[in-house]
């Protein structure tokens, strides 16, 4: 990758994204709110990350990078950064000036905090009736738990995800990777986009509520069904049995999906277990799930003949599968490269790095290339100067690398 200066540059020829011209004020921290705003930035929105003097707590997370948190870089790409202490009148006034010109404001304060800070929906709506006001919370804006702090793995545990993730009869297990946070981020981006679309008809902004509780339960919509007349404690585990799952091979592990008749027969043929393909004892997903103790040992014996990558190649398109890889393998995976999902980014201190560059693909309005998450206080003076000039707050894609 070529060396690129981190100095601000203006690229007037950069392709516009579908949210070009939309300005987002991101007052949130950690993952759900910030990454939801990043998804908007990916689509061309001007996102200004507003941090307190000590910064977003995610900056302090463990990282092997000497100068910045890897998590912060990944969650906050393509934003400008400003530091405001909202308890100081002068800084509070700056925020209100920004609100007047903004399209969207996002925060993840507990519901009781915004009124104390003077940034609740009712007040900001008076300043800017077109403002889309998005509040990210742990449990929502009402109810007995509304002011409790919510975190990804707390909500996983509370909502049954961990109980169903663990082995049958075993202890609950956490799903690592902040899946509830990231799904909440996707709901945030979708909700804000819908509210912006509706504003085109009504001319008015509105409140948008996203909670980790709602995210965790929405992710389990296929389990959250309780029909009249049936018992509450029924089977809700969607796993289809021991055939579909991760299996050991001679070297490494492979995930195999064999839920349809076609894929089951292909699996039997490819592994040399042809006698099982048409056996009436195993001719449905339910029957195979009940016969795990009979099928899986034979499958494992057959899979021991090759390593995981060899099986993946042999199965091809006839058996849905994937050899278990490390996330590091994704940087050079030909499919990831072909789709342009990962790209180069420049950071003033970290230097060149590669990370997610395009979360959604748009054909006609692909949007500009990504740029690095802001350093703390990086753009504070520049944004205040722009406000002082009473001009439109413009923005630049600093150090962007063309895709």
């Amino acid at each position: 990758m070529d060396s690129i200066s981190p100095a601000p540059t203006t690229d007037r020829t950069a392709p516009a994204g579908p949210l070009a011209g939309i300005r987002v004020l991101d007052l949130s921290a950690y993952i759900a709110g910030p990454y939801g705003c990043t998804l908007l930035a990916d689509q061309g929105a001007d996102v200004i990350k507003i941090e307190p003097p000590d910064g977003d707590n995610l900056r302090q997370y463990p990282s092997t990078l000497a100068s910045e948190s890897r998590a912060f870089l990944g969650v906050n790409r393509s934003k400008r950064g400003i530091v405001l202490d909202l308890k100081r009148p002068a800084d509070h006034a700056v925020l209100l000036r920004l609100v007047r010109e903004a399209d969207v404001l996002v925060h993840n304060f507990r519901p009781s905090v915004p009124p104390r800070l003077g940034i609740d929906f009712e007040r900001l709506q008076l300043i800017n009736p077109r403002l889309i006001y998005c509040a990210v919370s742990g449990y929502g804006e009402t109810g007995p738990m509304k002011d409790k702090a919510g975190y990804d793995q707390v909500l996983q545990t509370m909502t049954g995800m961990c109980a169903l993730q663990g082995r049958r009869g075993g202890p609950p297990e956490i799903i690592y990777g902040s899946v509830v946070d990231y799904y909440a981020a996707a709901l945030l981006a979708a909700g804000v986009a819908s509210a912006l679309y509706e504003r085109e008809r009504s001319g008015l902004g509105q409140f948008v509520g996203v909670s980790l509780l709602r995210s965790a339960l929405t992710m389990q919509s296929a389990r959250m069904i309780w029909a009249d007349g049936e018992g509450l404690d029924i089977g809700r585990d969607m796993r289809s049995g021991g055939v579909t799952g991760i299996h050991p091979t001679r070297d490494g592990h492979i995930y195999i999906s064999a839920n349809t008749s076609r894929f089951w027969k292909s699996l039997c043929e490819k592994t040399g277990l042809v006698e099982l393909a048409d056996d009436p004892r195993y001719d449905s997903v339910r029957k195979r799930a009940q016969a795990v103790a009979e099928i899986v040992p034979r499958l494992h014996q057959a899979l021991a003949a090759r390593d995981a990558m060899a099986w993946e190649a042999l199965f091809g398109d006839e058996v849905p599968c994937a050899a278990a890889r490390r996330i590091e393998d994704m940087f050079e995976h030909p499919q990831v490269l072909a789709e342009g999902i990962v790209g180069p980014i420049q950071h003033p201190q970290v230097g060149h790095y590669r990370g997610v560059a395009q979360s959604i693909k748009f054909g006609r309005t692909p949007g500009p290339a990504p740029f690095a998450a802001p350093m703390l206080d990086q753009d504070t003076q520049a944004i205040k100067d722009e406000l002082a000039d009473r001009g439109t707050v413009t923005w630049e894609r600093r150090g962007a690398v063309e895709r």
Side-chain angles (χ1 to χ4, degrees), residues 86-233:
L86 298 184
K87 296 178 182 178
R88 295 182 64 248
D91 283 3
H92 192 276
V94 171
L95 175 64
L96 297 186
R97 286 285 307 281
L98 288 169
V99 166
R100 290 190 183 98
E101 300 179 354
D103 297 284
V104 180
L105 181 143
V106 177
H107 72 73
N108 67 335
F109 297 117
R110 302 183 203 186
S112 62
V113 173
R116 296 204 305 266
L117 293 176
I119 59 168
D120 51 289
F121 173 64
E122 290 73 19
R123 174 169 179 172
L124 298 190
Q125 189 181 41
L126 295 175
I127 297 173
N128 181 355
R130 290 175 54 82
L131 183 70
I132 307 300
Y133 183 102
C134 182
V136 183
S137 62
Y139 303 91
E141 295 76 40
T142 60
M145 300 179 70
K146 66 177 183 178
D147 279 315
K148 284 180 64 69
Y151 295 93
D152 181 287
Q153 295 174 5
V154 173
L155 270 299
Q156 283 189 38
T157 307
M158 172 185 172
T159 60
M161 294 178 70
C162 297
L164 286 172
Q165 179 70 12
R167 294 180 179 274
R168 292 182 179 89
E173 294 182 9
I174 290 292
I175 305 170
Y176 290 101
S178 301
V179 292
V180 174
D181 279 336
Y182 280 105
Y183 192 67
L187 293 176
L188 185 161
V192 165
S194 295
L196 288 169
Y197 177 77
E198 192 281 333
R199 192 182 69 175
E200 292 301 301
R201 297 195 296 257
S202 67
L204 298 174
Q206 63 178 297
F207 178 90
V208 176
V210 176
S211 73
L212 299 189
L213 174 61
R214 193 179 297 272
S215 171
L217 293 179
T218 301
M219 290 178 69
Q220 301 182 88
S221 291
R223 297 167 175 167
M224 288 290 291
I225 300 295
W226 184 14
D228 289 347
E230 69 173 348
L232 178 58
D233 191 10

